[in-house]
Amino acid sequence: MALLKVKFDQKKRVKLAQGLWLMNWFSVLAGIIIFSLGLFLKIELRKRSDVMNNSESHFVPNSLIGMGLLSCVFNSLAGKICYDALDPAKYAKWKPWLKPYLAVCVLFNIALLLVTLCCFLMRSSLESTLAHGLKNGMKYYRDTDTPGRCFMKKTIDLLQIEFKCCGNNGFRDWFEIQWISNRYLDFSSKEVKDRIKSNVDGRYLVDGVPFSCCNPSSPRPCIQYQLTNNSAHYSYDHQTEELNLWVNGCRAALLSYYSSLMNSMGAVTLLVWLFEVTITIGLRYLHTALEGVSNPEDPECESEGWLLEKSVSETWKTFLESLKKLGKSNQVEAEGADAGQAPEAG
């Protein structure tokens, strides 16, 4: 028994074809929007690729770009099919291709749903890549004279200013690395010598942060050196006073920014997916309604359209049986090929 059977006369078939034609062109615009969102996300990730550990984060924007292009192609073709469905002569050339086309549309909808889920689930992978990338970026902050790393200081400074953050997890991360280049250290100074000798790795570590960590909204002039030394500053207590530095770490700030971006893109893609599913269902009804016309010479006659020719369980059983037959035929062909090779070996 057919699933969700609906009766159509010529007027309903024409309205369905016209409605689907219009919806397909709206879906082409939606595909352009998805393509643009993917391109925008890719550009945003490329801007900060220096503080990201790998290229896995580009999977989502690349997928959005691909799905946007496919959406434009498929929906343009579907619009043409719906337009030609009003003319029996033109529809005849599309008739043998409609079933394979609908199967491809179902696969496309599944792929689009997976991409939508990836938009919502990318946070964990992005968090790890940002953590490692920012750690390495801070490590190379001082290498202003090293080819390939001389830009890192500018990148980190602009990042901290733009996102109002400091360090990886917080400003204290700068205490654990040497962020001042040896070129700007006076090695004849006793203080510099003592600091280097007191460190096992021979690094010059200070309880200070780069200028880009300073919060311009603070009424007090920025204190970026000797942050833990209360006697170095007048009326200052680093444990109780609110520091005039950015409190948030850059990993959390970037993660929040990209997460909000991808959640918004995921919501838009989900709406587009629902629209695409509606179009696919409509195309299926149009296909079965036109197939069910008993007398092609009488366009006024009624026909029946359905979503599935059988029930869901019967359709699933038929699908499994077809897979088994396909597997058996491949096995027989393989055995036949082995049998043909045996006499040659003899």
Side-chain angles (χ1 to χ4, degrees):
M1 185 180 175
L3 182 67
L4 299 177
K5 191 185 293 185
V6 179
K7 284 191 176 183
F8 290 90
D9 54 18
Q10 188 195 19
K11 191 176 180 180
K12 285 184 178 179
R13 288 195 294 268
V14 169
K15 281 187 176 179
L16 179 61
Q18 289 174 341
L20 286 172
W21 176 83
L22 189 62
M23 288 175 71
N24 274 296
W25 287 112
F26 275 122
S27 209
V28 169
L29 294 176
I32 294 171
I33 291 171
I34 289 177
F35 175 84
S36 304
L37 289 175
L39 197 61
F40 174 74
L41 182 58
K42 192 172 183 68
I43 291 169
E44 285 295 302
L45 289 170
R46 281 286 178 103
K47 279 182 186 177
R48 297 162 191 97
S49 58
D50 301 321
V51 292
M52 292 188 177
N53 196 42
N54 54 43
S55 59
E56 289 178 10
S57 53
H58 289 272
F59 171 75
V60 169
N62 290 340
S63 300
L64 287 171
I65 289 169
M67 297 308 291
L69 289 173
L70 287 175
S71 178
C72 291
V73 172
F74 287 151
N75 287 293
S76 300
L77 185 59
K80 175 64 175 170
I81 292 171
C82 293
Y83 183 80
D84 289 346
L86 300 173
D87 186 349
K90 290 181 179 179
Y91 176 72
K93 67 180 180 181
W94 293 109
K95 198 172 181 180
W97 299 102
L98 267 177
K99 270 193 176 180
Y101 175 76
L102 284 169
V104 171
C105 284
V106 170
L107 293 176
F108 170 76
N109 288 328
I110 292 170
L112 187 59
L113 179 61
L114 292 175
V115 172
T116 305
L117 292 175
C118 287
C119 288
F120 293 114
L121 300 175
M122 193 186 165
R123 182 185 172 91
S124 57
S125 63
L126 191 62
E127 187 172 9
S128 61
T129 190
L130 280 171
H132 293 295
L134 282 166
K135 191 175 181 180
N136 291 332
M138 290 171 63
K139 192 189 300 180
Y140 302 140
Y141 181 89
R142 63 174 178 164
D143 296 341
T144 51
D145 299 324
T146 307
R149 298 178 187 168
C150 55
F151 59 86
M152 191 56 76
K153 179 184 180 299
K154 181 182 177 182
T155 301
I156 295 292
D157 282 335
L158 290 176
L159 179 72
Q160 293 190 145
I161 292 169
E162 182 182 355
F163 287 93
K164 300 179 180 180
C165 59
C166 185
N168 190 348
N169 298 309
F171 69 90
R172 291 182 181 276
D173 293 337
W174 290 107
F175 298 177
E176 300 170 4
I177 60 170
Q178 180 182 338
W179 55 272
I180 302 173
S181 174
N182 289 338
R183 180 182 177 182
Y184 305 107
L185 293 176
D186 181 10
F187 286 95
S188 62
S189 168
K190 184 177 182 300
E191 182 191 351
V192 173
K193 288 180 181 178
D194 290 343
R195 280 190 178 275
I196 292 174
K197 284 179 183 178
S198 64
N199 185 263
V200 177
D201 300 324
R203 294 179 297 169
Y204 181 74
L205 303 182
V206 293
D207 55 344
V209 295
F211 78 97
S212 52
C213 282
C214 294
N215 182 357
S217 301
S218 173
R220 181 170 187 159
C222 185
I223 297 174
Q224 62 180 108
Y225 292 105
Q226 295 184 322
L227 290 169
T228 57
N229 186 359
N230 294 335
S231 60
H233 312 285
Y234 175 72
S235 183
Y236 175 77
D237 186 353
H238 75 278
Q239 291 183 338
T240 59
E241 186 172 345
E242 186 178 346
L243 300 177
N244 50 4
L245 304 174
W246 301 122
V247 179
N248 294 332
C250 288
R251 181 179 64 170
L254 280 171
L255 190 62
S256 174
Y257 172 70
Y258 284 119
S259 294
S260 63
L261 264 184
M262 286 184 291
N263 287 339
S264 302
M265 291 179 184
V268 172
T269 312
L270 184 62
L271 290 174
V272 173
W273 174 77
L274 291 171
F275 199 63
E276 291 286 352
V277 169
T278 305
I279 290 173
T280 305
I281 292 171
L283 281 171
R284 176 60 175 166
Y285 273 115
L286 181 64
H287 168 234
T288 52
L290 291 171
E291 287 283 323
V293 175
S294 56
N295 186 7
E297 295 178 0
D298 181 18
E300 300 287 341
C301 67
E302 286 191 349
S303 61
E304 289 183 343
W306 57 81
L307 194 59
L308 292 175
E309 193 172 359
K310 301 174 183 177
S311 65
V312 176
S313 58
E314 289 175 348
T315 304
W316 180 248
K317 286 178 183 177
T318 307
F319 176 71
L320 291 177
E321 285 173 5
S322 62
L323 286 180
K324 287 178 182 178
K325 287 178 182 177
L326 184 64
K328 286 179 181 178
S329 63
N330 289 336
Q331 188 177 358
V332 169
E333 286 176 7
E335 288 174 357
D338 292 339
Q341 289 174 2
E344 290 177 9

